[in-house]
Amino acid sequence: MHNQDIFDVTIIGGGPAGMYAAFYAGMREMKVKLIEGKDQLGGFLQTYSDKTIWDVGGLPPMKCAKLIDWLVQQAKTFEPTVVFNQSVDAISRLDDGVIVLQTVTGEVHYTRSVIVAIGRGIAEVQKLKLDSAHEYERSNLHYTVQNLNYFAGKNVLISGGGNSAVDWALELAELASTVTVVHRQEAFRAMEHNVKQMRSRVKVHTPFQVECLYGNGERIHQVAISNPATGENIRLEVDEVIISHGYTSQASNLARCGLVMNEGVVAMNQLGETNLPGIFTAGDCAEREGKVRLIAGAFNDAIVAVNSAKTYVEPTAAGMAYVSSHNELFREKNRDLEKIDSLQG
Ligand SMILES: Cc1cc2nc3c(=O)[nH]c(=O)nc-3n(C[C@H](O)[C@H](O)[C@H](O)COP(=O)(O)OP(=O)(O)OC[C@H]3O[C@@H](n4cnc5c(N)ncnc54)[C@H](O)[C@@H]3O)c2cc1C
């Protein structure tokens, strides 16, 4: 027996695919729930929120953080139910066809259809594996760069060898007092041209790793780095430390429930259908020939998956939503927008 609300569609994952699906399912007048494993929407975009995005159709280049804000705003247009901090790890079905989603923390959700939009899974930043590291997370140990200007005039140490570490080194070289990059491998996993530029502009230590943080419990003042091959040890004066060791993501358990998955990727057909009836998929977690793993690709998948979910729940419904430009659903909202425009002159 289920005495909770039953939703027409429940979307698992609040990245671009899940957020856009929430909007589009609202346009299809479905009762929508979105379940996100973390405490915020945005998905993988949150990991590069400081970067500028150029390749989303029709949008001017903008900071990814701004794109997240706009996606969230759009996702909420039809007021879907959004739940945070719940990671879905089991799907089952009742005798009456209602689908049951269970979360790691024991919550249960009932729905007539599902869109799996779990992307690359729940991304967690790889933290510095030193006991004292967490003491400094609120002061001068950073896992991301939100505001480059904060580092102006400072002595910055960056640990990492990927594109983010190299990009930050290049950008900070323009405004920090000194930038030192430490990477445990000789070779960087970043674009060759950028690595070359970085090596010519900042001090680089390879193969070195962060060995010890020296501080007063409030701020780090010095960092010891060591070369594991030679045992050489160097102490550096620092104002700020940036750790860019990438992300880990937990493997999804949904394959255990009969969903065909291959190394975390869900098989879908041209209609976004998975092997399980009523369960659709969209975004980076979905695979078919010609699949585009970009934000624009996630939007397209979301539309297809929502339309399939709509006709699954309501077989006589049209295959597509009416276009937004001539859609009655937006009449009131358009009037409100026009009022705001005229007030702003
Ligand atoms: C470094 C980098 C730079 C990129 N730059 C660009 C770019 O410039 N332009 C572009 O178009 N694309 C870019 N991309 C690709 C783009 O980020 C992805 O295509 C996009 O994020 C896919 O969106 P998604 O919603 O499918 O998945 P994600 O963004 O991965 O979102 C999935 C969401 O699902 C949640 N989730 C996962 N498992 C569960 C669960 N079991 N229960 C509940 N919630 C769950 C996660 O917490 C997450 O919020 C870039 C990717 C990377 C890695």
Side-chain angles (χ1 to χ4, degrees):
M1 279 299 291
H2 41 84
N3 44 22
Q4 254 194 44
D5 268 359
I6 304 174
F7 285 75
D8 292 328
V9 63
T10 298
I11 299 153
I12 311 174
M19 286 191 283
Y20 194 70
F23 165 74
Y24 204 80
M27 231 174 114
R28 301 249 36 197
E29 299 183 82
M30 298 176 88
K31 184 173 168 173
V32 183
K33 184 183 270 183
L34 190 156
I35 305 177
E36 167 54 46
K38 299 196 83 166
D39 60 1
Q40 59 185 357
L41 297 174
F44 221 80
L45 272 58
Q46 292 288 2
T47 68
Y48 56 93
S49 60
D50 60 307
K51 295 284 173 199
T52 301
I53 302 270
W54 285 77
D55 54 358
V56 180
L59 292 182
M62 67 174 73
K63 288 283 180 200
C64 194
K66 189 168 180 185
L67 179 60
I68 296 172
D69 284 350
W70 284 9
L71 281 167
V72 171
Q73 211 175 307
Q74 185 181 43
K76 292 183 174 168
T77 307
F78 297 102
E79 300 175 3
T81 297
V82 182
V83 295
F84 290 104
N85 297 313
Q86 294 191 27
S87 169
V88 175
D89 87 332
I91 303 180
S92 56
R93 202 178 298 262
L94 301 176
D95 291 343
D96 60 3
V98 169
I99 300 167
V100 185
L101 302 178
Q102 273 173 304
T103 70
V104 175
T105 38
E107 290 88 355
V108 180
H109 302 271
Y110 298 95
T111 184
R112 297 189 198 287
S113 68
V114 175
I115 296 176
V116 178
I118 58 176
R120 294 158 183 265
I122 301 175
E124 299 293 349
V125 74
Q126 291 254 38
K127 295 211 170 179
L128 184 64
K129 292 185 183 77
L130 289 179
D131 288 344
S132 59
H134 75 277
E135 288 174 35
Y136 300 107
E137 283 176 15
R138 285 174 184 272
S139 54
N140 60 343
L141 180 73
H142 312 270
Y143 289 103
T144 187
V145 172
Q146 305 281 6
N147 176 7
L148 286 166
N149 289 326
Y150 172 83
F151 297 90
K154 297 183 175 175
N155 298 308
V156 185
L157 179 122
I158 302 174
S159 172
N163 278 310
S164 294
V166 173
D167 283 359
W168 286 334
L170 283 173
E171 289 187 78
L172 290 175
E174 310 277 320
L175 42 92
S177 172
T178 64
V179 176
T180 306
V181 175
V182 179
H183 180 38
R184 66 194 162 102
Q185 311 281 347
E186 204 60 71
F188 283 80
R189 302 177 315 279
M191 282 170 66
E192 212 179 307
H193 171 78
N194 289 351
V195 174
K196 215 168 162 187
Q197 295 266 314
M198 174 188 72
R199 284 190 185 277
S200 69
R201 290 195 207 162
V202 308
K203 180 92 187 140
V204 175
H205 292 281
T206 58
F208 270 82
Q209 62 193 26
V210 174
E211 185 75 27
C212 188
L213 306 175
Y214 294 96
N216 56 5
E218 283 183 15
R219 291 186 70 80
I220 305 163
H221 298 303
Q222 287 185 334
V223 174
I225 61 169
S226 68
N227 180 329
T230 62
E232 186 188 354
N233 211 292
I234 305 174
R235 267 208 205 194
L236 301 162
E237 300 285 333
V238 295
D239 298 314
E240 307 291 337
V241 178
I242 300 171
I243 304 297
S244 177
H245 293 176
Y247 290 83
T248 52
S249 53
Q250 305 151 15
S252 168
N253 273 334
L254 298 180
R256 212 185 46 192
C257 311
L259 196 63
V260 170
M261 290 181 93
N262 184 13
E263 294 179 2
V265 171
V266 184
M268 68 167 170
N269 64 14
Q270 297 290 335
L271 297 175
E273 294 169 327
T274 69
N275 62 308
L276 299 176
I279 299 179
F280 307 90
T281 187
D284 273 15
C285 67
E287 177 60 28
R288 66 165 161 73
E289 202 184 335
K291 161 73 196 150
V292 174
R293 284 203 167 72
L294 284 175
I295 297 163
F299 294 163
N300 184 73
D301 289 352
I303 295 176
V304 174
V306 167
N307 284 332
S308 294
K310 175 73 178 179
T311 48
Y312 175 82
V313 170
E314 199 185 319
T316 55
M320 269 190 69
Y322 207 60
V323 286
S324 65
S325 55
H326 292 68
N327 195 317
E328 272 303 303
L329 268 183
F330 294 103
R331 188 182 288 274
E332 275 299 305
K333 295 183 194 298
N334 287 339
R335 280 207 197 103
D336 293 345
L337 289 176
E338 278 157 23
K339 266 186 224 152
I340 294 169
D341 279 352
S342 66
L343 281 175
Q344 289 173 343

